[in-house]
Amino acid sequence: MAEILVLVEHVDGAVKKVTLELLTLARTLGTPSAVWAGPGYSPDAQAKLAEYGADKIYVADAADLADHVVAPKAELLAQLVSTASPSGVLVAATAEGKEVAGRLAIKTDSGVITDAVGLGEGFVAEQSIFGGGVNVRSRVRRGTPIVAVRPNATTPEPSTGAGTEERVEVALSDTARAARVVERVKQEKGARPELAEAAIVVSGGRGVGSAENFAVIENLADSLGAAVGASRAATDAGWYPHQFQVGQTGKTVSPQLYIAAGISGAIQHRAGMQTAKTIIAINKDPEAPIFELADFGVVGDLHQVVPQLTEEIQKRH
């Protein structure tokens, strides 16, 4: 089967869940080859990548690849596209991943598709465009298909691959070295999962009423092991930090379960969450647009409904 390159997302040597999703997706289209860029590669990382189907692992773990911003990864992938002639390249549709994809497309004179939520035979991608108003199927018609896939678009499933390691040397151009990382500040990570990668997201909107009332949303999220999100109205009001905003001008999420409490469902918000597998809406306005998207809807005051829901979930634990 044709080789498919998958750019590995990793933090402190740990492979991120989105990479396992990409390897699972790649197996449906060909033979996955993982591409590791930067320090941190270890036998544990090799075992994890092989567990999810990586037949080959290209390892470029020189410190230089992490000392500069984005460009080195694009040059590494461009070199591998030239030497390995893969049938496609998959990256995560994160801010960095999409920039890598764009740079790689220019270097290889190829087409690129971003924010894919599905990928089928022939590298035909499913996308949600125009603020979530239209669903389309797209295909690259030039060069090597480069596709950035949203986290949670695929359920990761183990299927052991050979995991053969191949060391790669890449000579970075002066252009790739132009921007240098001079400092890294480690953000304290809470117990909740990262918003963009969470399997369950609980979001609050204008109906929450205040910053203090967001404790209701947090309590429900914690009972489910979920991430917390917020609508633009809530973040603009200062009720919740902007980095947790879900929407067209915030983060795009595709969880297995999305709970929207006190969110009307304006197009700005819908664009960031409508590809969730299951959507539950809680709103006291029966005419709220969010109910058009919801798989399950509760018409009621979230301050009464959400605490009861949290209590029931905690009982089952």
Side-chain angles (χ1 to χ4, degrees):
M1 296 178 74
E3 183 176 14
I4 298 170
L5 300 181
V6 173
L7 181 61
V8 177
E9 296 258 343
H10 57 93
V11 176
D12 296 331
V15 179
K16 298 186 74 173
K17 175 173 168 280
V18 66
T19 298
L20 309 182
E21 296 170 10
L22 294 179
L23 288 170
T24 300
L25 184 59
R27 294 201 314 265
T28 67
L29 302 166
T31 303
S33 290
V35 180
W36 183 287
Y41 183 73
S42 67
D44 286 345
Q46 180 182 20
K48 178 62 72 173
L49 294 170
E51 180 186 354
Y52 282 82
D55 188 64
K56 187 183 294 184
I57 304 171
Y58 294 104
V59 181
D61 56 358
D64 248 12
L65 289 165
D67 288 343
H68 304 278
V69 183
V70 181
K73 292 182 179 179
E75 292 201 347
L76 168 62
L77 286 171
Q79 178 177 308
L80 289 172
V81 167
S82 175
T83 58
S85 300
S87 61
V89 180
L90 301 184
V91 302
T94 57
E96 179 176 299
K98 287 189 279 190
E99 184 172 350
V100 170
R103 288 172 178 265
L104 178 61
I106 295 297
K107 292 178 182 298
T108 59
D109 192 26
S110 300
V112 60
I113 294 172
T114 61
D115 287 316
V117 294
L119 196 59
E121 187 177 349
F123 274 81
V124 176
E126 298 175 21
Q127 292 169 288
S128 180
I129 64 171
F130 297 138
V134 179
N135 294 322
V136 298
R137 301 177 75 207
S138 310
R139 184 173 61 188
V140 169
R141 299 182 63 184
R142 177 173 178 163
T144 303
I146 302 162
V147 184
V149 183
R150 285 185 186 176
N152 287 309
T154 303
T155 301
E157 297 176 357
S159 179
T160 305
T164 306
E165 181 183 312
E166 184 174 320
R167 292 280 165 172
V168 180
E169 299 288 338
V170 55
L172 299 182
S173 67
D174 290 340
T175 302
R177 298 173 184 271
R180 175 177 287 275
V181 178
V182 296
E183 182 183 11
R184 286 185 172 87
V185 178
K186 190 168 184 177
Q187 185 177 13
E188 290 299 320
K189 191 178 187 318
R192 298 186 188 111
E194 185 179 337
L195 178 58
E197 297 186 358
I200 305 174
V201 175
V202 180
S203 287
R206 193 190 305 274
V208 174
S210 70
E212 294 74 20
N213 288 344
F214 251 87
V216 173
I217 304 298
E218 292 178 328
N219 290 340
L220 176 57
D222 291 342
S223 71
L224 291 166
V228 174
S231 70
R232 180 171 178 174
T235 58
D236 283 352
W239 297 345
Y240 219 68
H242 279 279
Q243 64 262 37
F244 296 98
Q245 181 189 329
V246 174
Q248 195 167 18
T249 55
K251 291 188 176 179
T252 299
V253 298
S254 297
Q256 298 298 312
L257 173 63
Y258 188 87
I259 301 177
I263 297 175
S264 65
I267 189 65
Q268 202 278 345
H269 186 77
R270 293 168 62 166
M273 47 65 72
Q274 67 174 5
T275 55
K277 305 300 184 294
T278 302
I279 299 170
I280 297 176
I282 303 168
N283 201 295
K284 63 183 179 182
D285 178 8
E287 303 299 323
I290 192 70
F291 287 122
E292 297 172 9
L293 278 182
D295 297 287
F296 302 95
V298 179
V299 178
D301 186 340
L302 73 89
H303 297 292
Q304 295 178 4
V305 175
V306 173
Q308 292 181 61
L309 177 57
T310 304
E311 184 180 347
E312 287 300 319
I313 291 169
Q314 289 173 340
K315 282 180 183 177
R316 299 191 181 194
H317 287 333

